[in-house]
Amino acid sequence: MIQVHEGIFLEEIPLPDNPLKAINNYLVLSKGESLTVDTAFNRPICRDRMEGILREKGVDPSRHRLFLTHLHSDHTGLAALFADRGTEVLMGKADGDYVNRSVDPQGPVWKEVVDEAVREGLAQDRLALEDHPGYAYRPERGFPFTPVEPGEVISVGDYRFEVVALPGHTPGQMGLYDRDHKILFCGDHILGKITPNIASWGPAFPDPLGVYFDSLRRVYDMDIDLLLSSHRHLVKDHRRRIRTLFHHHDTRLKEALAAVIKEGPVSCRDVVQAMHWDIRSKSWADFPPSQKWFAAGEAHAHLDRLEAMGLVTKEEGEGGVFLYRATISQLPEEALARL
């Protein structure tokens, strides 16, 4: 592990067969107290390395705490293992409840995922849930957790971490902010050089991209010297990175809107094929099934944002597929500038 700040250690835990490659696992040690931020997939290689870290640092799991930033399986996959060993698990209630509901393969969480794929027009791709990383590597069983609320303070020795709400990437993502040390654990809210996946979460969480933008603006105004994100490179200038993220999504919104203007009415599946993706596939047919799930969800979130802005309308077509029509005939630069 490398020490990124006094008493705060980072190690990359491998995520085999996943484009993210690894997750940044953090361990805070201060004055005899300890806290881990996030786990990794429910896979032996991840479990063995995380157990090794605690042994190497002399951490007693029964006197330890685990903070889970959000529901994705690369962050929660080993939560049940920690809980079984007496570790107190801390997590926002919305995402924590979602994870525990997702344990049942026949439950409403995965039914909604399948229904959402139908609405996006993916039925013809015959995607299998087993190809969905969130399904394949989810926790093997539910786990007890202590719900945390924004504004709540979690003390770890010399550190006083305030829980901050960072929804958008998931409905209830949370972060930890130490004002005195100017440190923010932000989960997947802001990543360096890659962009967080912002996907549709169904009717219960409308306009996730708009929610994400609000969260970005909130972090933009925070005083941060050390931003500890969950994947790959650490971000040295959070405001510069946030501006880059807004520019990225401005481009994506224009791509999605241009596709609707040109070809509408169109499905989400039609739009996703008109957008640019940083992936080594020549066509939609060549996309790995796991990436089709994510790409369609992200295109859907951008269509939801355009609908919220009044630039497209949505109607239900044949087979329950959503179809989108543009309300304008050309790209409105001034409207998209108001992101």
Side-chain angles (χ1 to χ4, degrees), residues 35-66:
L35 175 80
T36 289
V37 179
D38 288 333
T39 70
F41 280 147
N42 180 22
R43 301 190 65 172
I45 189 173
C46 302
R47 181 193 64 228
D48 293 347
R49 188 61 206 122
M50 294 205 69
E51 289 180 328
I53 289 170
L54 297 186
R55 284 196 303 269
E56 291 163 17
K57 294 298 184 181
V59 174
D60 179 353
S62 67
R63 301 178 59 191
H64 189 51
R65 283 175 290 175
L66 169 66

Side-chain angles (χ1 to χ4, degrees), residues 116-127 268-269 272 284 292-293 296-297 321:
E116 189 78 343
V118 170
R119 292 190 285 265
E120 292 166 351
L122 299 182
Q124 60 187 293
D125 291 291
R126 301 184 182 278
L127 297 179
C268 178
R269 186 179 186 273
V272 76
W284 178 248
K292 285 187 176 181
W293 286 107
V321 177

Side-chain angles (χ1 to χ4, degrees), residues 52-297:
I53 289 170
L54 297 186
R55 284 196 303 269
E56 291 163 17
K57 294 298 184 181
V59 174
D60 179 353
S62 67
R63 301 178 59 191
H64 189 51
R65 283 175 290 175
L66 169 66
F67 182 85
L68 301 176
T69 58
H70 63 288
L71 61 83
H72 284 143
S73 60
D74 56 324
H75 296 254
T76 63
L78 294 169
L81 175 67
F82 274 81
D84 287 349
R85 298 182 181 180
T87 299
E88 182 183 14
V89 180
L90 309 168
M91 191 175 189
K93 181 172 174 54
D95 275 22
D97 287 346
Y98 185 102
V99 174
N100 280 337
R101 291 196 306 270
S102 75
V103 172
D104 180 3
Q106 305 299 323
V109 164
W110 299 110
K111 181 181 183 303
E112 175 57 29
V113 169
V114 172
D115 289 346
E116 189 78 343
V118 170
R119 292 190 285 265
E120 292 166 351
L122 299 182
Q124 60 187 293
D125 291 291
R126 301 184 182 278
L127 297 179
L129 273 178
E130 289 74 16
D131 293 323
H132 194 301
Y135 179 91
Y137 305 128
R138 68 194 188 282
E140 59 190 29
R141 58 190 175 281
F143 55 88
F145 69 93
T146 302
V148 295
E149 297 286 345
E152 186 175 335
V153 173
I154 299 171
S155 295
V156 186
D158 289 329
Y159 292 99
R160 287 176 53 82
F161 294 111
E162 178 183 342
V163 178
V164 293
L166 301 173
H169 179 62
T170 66
Q173 180 168 228
M174 299 283 188
L176 293 176
Y177 179 51
D178 186 302
R179 294 178 182 273
D180 293 336
H181 294 91
K182 301 179 182 179
I183 296 171
L184 175 66
F185 290 96
C186 71
D188 284 359
H189 182 56
I190 299 170
L191 303 175
K193 297 189 178 181
I194 59 175
T195 54
N197 176 258
I198 310 301
S200 172
W201 291 90
F205 187 57
D207 192 15
L209 188 56
V211 173
Y212 178 64
F213 290 162
D214 289 341
S215 295
L216 283 179
R217 294 187 187 99
R218 188 159 54 252
V219 174
Y220 191 93
D221 293 333
M222 295 170 68
D223 192 6
I224 299 169
D225 286 342
L226 182 61
L227 185 73
L228 298 175
S229 53
S230 292
H231 299 286
R232 304 200 191 173
H233 307 277
L234 300 186
V235 176
K236 295 182 179 180
D237 183 340
H238 72 289
R239 294 189 176 96
R240 180 179 179 180
R241 182 59 183 157
I242 288 171
R243 290 193 295 269
T244 300
L245 289 171
F246 272 114
H247 175 74
H248 166 82
H249 287 291
D250 175 80
T251 299
R252 306 297 269 163
L253 286 165
K254 289 174 181 175
E255 286 181 338
L257 182 56
V260 180
I261 291 173
K262 182 179 180 181
E263 303 292 346
V266 289
S267 69
C268 178
R269 186 179 186 273
D270 297 324
V271 171
V272 76
Q273 295 180 71
M275 298 172 71
H276 173 265
W277 302 96
D278 187 13
I279 186 171
R280 295 176 181 176
S281 297
K282 295 181 179 179
S283 67
W284 178 248
D286 293 332
F287 266 54
S290 61
Q291 294 307 300
K292 285 187 176 181
W293 286 107
F294 288 136

